[in-house]
Amino acid sequence: MASSLWYLYEFARKKWIKKFVDAKSEESSYIPPERYRKVPPVVEFPERCISCEACKESCPAFAIELIYNESYNKKLPKIDEGSCIACANCVEACPTGVLEIDKHRAETEGLFFDIPKYTNLIIDEEVCVRCGNCERACPVNVIKRKEGRYVIDRASCISCKECIKACPIENAIVVFDERTLKEKIEKAFEIKNKIIIGKLEVKENVIEEIPHIVDSLCITCGTCKDVCIGEIDLKEKKVVECVKCGLCIEVCPTTAIRTHVPIIPKRKDICYVIDEDLCIGCRICQKVCHVNAVKISKEIKLPYIVPELCVACGACERECPVGAIRAVKPEEAKEAVKRRIIEDKIIENIEEDLISFTEKYGKVMEEIEKLSLKKMKEELKRKVHEERRRIKEMKRELYDKKDNR
């Protein structure tokens, strides 16, 4: 009994001491939690709500409950402002954009560019290989193919980044947030002011090429135009005049303005090969490959995959109707297509030689024809000259006869 009381006393004593040890100062107790937004979210578009409870599940403070609303005949989220820590997780998690942060909306009202959420995903159409992995990986089906390229509906995207994990290409899906945009706008403003007051001398030909604007990435924020001493047409998404200073590239929050970005595959440990015995020559693999890694053999007229060009997206394997494509190690793939590549090079060389010979032969024949025509003209001139001389002689003879009479 005594030991039990002693253990109980020790437990209470430690708890009592711990209360003072873990106590926060008056200043630290007012430090807001991470992601604090000062203003709690509100149900801005209740008609969009699908009662999926994504907001409720994402709330770390358990401040959201779904309560039936008679007006809309469905459950709508109700936020307890006393419990809400304004982290905006619910705003990002909502697949239909029901919730919004009031302060965020008020601050950005009236701006002409697309207002970003806290985390935004955009597909880079220049780097994207259109394999469709992102569309299949998206848990809320907000990635769709439009006009030959994949587009993310940013209003419905929950920024789970599953598409980035599934994407086979580095930086094919660009991530940017509100903070990045703010930093870039401030940097552009600072550069612009320095140029105006003469503190910054713009150097020309810093970059080798004139940059271009990627339409899918551009949010028309205007930072590039602010620092450009040339001319940028944001409506047409076109650089009109450029001195190659590179300032526009520095201030773009989405890397939409650039010179060139290489396609870098994430996976370099696998490559795909086509089994010629199973292949039926339908060439679907060539149609779905957007990096031109699938070539057609000039010898047997069947497709094969060039390992150096393959990005291991798996589109060809997925679309092959007879399962003739499989993943192997790059060394095996190189060995498998080595013969076809050599054959194609030989045939290409022969074709080039044949074309060259044909061109030379054609030129020679033209020269021969020219020479022949020249000779014919000379022969004709000679005959005409002889005929004229003969006629003159005949006339002279006639005159002589007349004189003799």
Side-chain angles (χ1 to χ4, degrees):
M1 183 69 181
S3 61
S4 299
L5 289 171
W6 183 82
Y7 279 118
L8 186 62
Y9 165 74
E10 280 295 308
F11 176 77
R13 185 177 67 84
K14 286 178 181 178
K15 282 283 183 182
W16 181 72
I17 293 170
K18 193 173 186 298
K19 182 174 67 173
F20 291 97
V21 171
D22 294 343
K24 294 181 179 180
S25 65
E26 187 177 350
E27 183 181 354
S28 64
S29 63
Y30 285 98
I31 295 174
E34 190 180 357
R35 295 174 58 90
Y36 183 64
R37 298 288 184 269
K38 295 183 182 179
V39 179
V42 293
V43 181
E44 186 70 21
F45 304 103
E47 66 278 1
R48 296 182 186 175
C49 184
I50 57 175
S51 305
C52 64
E53 297 191 0
C55 53
K56 181 181 176 181
E57 294 296 326
S58 66
C59 182
F62 305 103
I64 301 176
E65 288 291 335
L66 264 74
I67 298 173
Y68 181 77
N69 187 297
E70 292 182 359
S71 302
Y72 292 96
N73 193 27
K74 59 184 174 183
K75 287 185 177 181
L76 293 177
K78 184 179 180 182
I79 302 168
D80 181 2
E81 293 187 6
S83 303
C84 178
I85 61 171
C87 64
N89 276 350
C90 54
V91 177
E92 294 184 12
C94 181
T96 55
V98 175
L99 302 169
E100 284 287 354
I101 295 285
D102 271 358
K103 188 171 184 292
H104 179 65
R105 288 171 60 81
E107 285 178 350
T108 56
E109 189 177 357
L111 296 181
F112 67 94
F113 57 86
D114 296 337
I115 306 304
K117 296 192 297 182
Y118 299 111
T119 303
N120 297 264
L121 306 178
I122 310 177
I123 296 174
D124 187 342
E125 64 179 333
E126 273 195 350
V127 182
C128 176
V129 295
R130 296 162 181 80
C131 61
N133 289 351
C134 55
E135 184 182 22
R136 281 180 289 277
C138 181
V140 289
N141 299 320
V142 297
I143 302 177
K144 301 294 180 185
R145 186 160 185 165
K146 295 179 181 178
E147 298 178 358
R149 62 187 179 94
Y150 286 95
V151 180
I152 299 174
D153 182 3
R154 297 210 300 274
S156 303
C157 177
I158 60 173
S159 305
C160 62
K161 299 183 182 179
E162 289 296 323
C163 52
I164 297 177
K165 295 175 186 176
C167 182
I169 307 298
E170 292 284 353
N171 301 320
I173 300 176
V174 177
V175 181
F176 82 103
D177 53 21
E178 186 184 23
R179 185 187 301 172
T180 306
L181 178 62
K182 187 178 179 182
E183 288 173 358
K184 294 293 184 180
I185 290 174
E186 288 175 355
K187 187 175 181 180
F189 183 74
E190 185 182 347
I191 291 171
K192 185 180 180 180
N193 285 342
K194 284 182 179 179
I195 293 171
I196 291 170
I197 63 178
K199 283 189 176 181
L200 179 64
E201 185 182 350
V202 179
K203 296 180 181 179
E204 298 183 5
N205 299 316
V206 175
I207 54 178
E208 294 180 359
E209 301 175 17
I210 294 174
H212 63 278
I213 299 172
V214 182
D215 188 28
S216 64
L217 294 180
C218 182
I219 59 172
T220 58
C221 61
T223 53
C224 55
K225 194 168 183 177
D226 287 341
V227 300
C228 181
I229 61 171
E231 185 182 350
I232 296 176
D233 188 349
L234 287 177
K235 287 184 179 179
E236 298 293 329
K237 303 285 194 303
K238 187 179 179 182
V239 179
V240 182
E241 293 181 13
C242 182
V243 296
K244 301 179 184 178
C245 62
L247 292 176
C248 54
I249 298 173
E250 288 182 26
V251 298
C252 182
T254 60
T255 66
I257 188 162
R258 59 169 68 137
T259 52
H260 175 68
V261 175
I263 296 175
I264 304 171
K266 289 180 181 177
R267 296 198 65 180
K268 297 180 181 178
D269 58 334
I270 65 166
C271 189
Y272 289 91
V273 293
I274 300 172
D275 189 339
E276 293 177 358
D277 296 330
L278 297 175
C279 181
I280 58 174
C282 63
R283 302 188 183 184
I284 290 175
C285 52
Q286 189 184 33
K287 292 175 184 176
V288 299
C289 181
H290 290 274
V291 292
N292 297 320
V294 180
K295 307 292 182 184
I296 304 299
S297 171
K298 296 180 183 294
E299 180 68 22
I300 60 173
K301 307 301 179 185
L302 289 178
Y304 67 89
I305 299 170
V306 180
E308 290 78 11
L309 300 177
C310 180
V311 295
C313 65
C316 54
E317 182 189 28
R318 187 173 57 250
E319 298 296 333
C320 181
V322 292
I325 302 174
R326 58 190 176 88
V328 296
K329 291 181 179 180
E331 295 78 17
E332 292 180 35
K334 287 178 182 178
E335 192 63 33
V337 298
K338 187 177 180 180
R339 180 184 169 188
R340 295 298 170 213
I341 292 172
I342 292 170
E343 284 177 353
D344 279 2
K345 283 183 178 178
I346 292 169
I347 293 170
E348 281 176 10
N349 290 335
I350 292 169
E351 287 177 351
E352 286 176 4
D353 291 342
L354 185 61
I355 291 167
S356 177
F357 172 77
T358 306
E359 289 176 355
K360 288 179 181 178
Y361 177 77
K363 288 178 181 178
V364 170
M365 290 302 294
E366 285 178 7
E367 291 294 328
I368 291 170
E369 286 178 6
K370 286 178 182 178
L371 288 171
S372 299
L373 288 170
K374 191 176 180 181
K375 285 181 180 180
M376 286 174 66
K377 285 179 181 179
E378 288 176 356
E379 185 68 23
L380 186 62
K381 281 182 181 180
R382 187 180 63 78
K383 286 182 178 181
V384 169
H385 181 70
E386 287 179 357
E387 188 67 24
R388 283 178 179 174
R389 190 173 60 182
R390 190 178 65 79
I391 292 168
K392 282 181 180 180
E393 288 178 355
M394 287 175 64
K395 284 181 178 180
R396 192 177 293 115
E397 287 177 2
L398 287 171
Y399 288 139
D400 289 343
K401 284 180 181 180
K402 283 181 181 181
D403 291 340
N404 291 332
R405 287 178 185 177

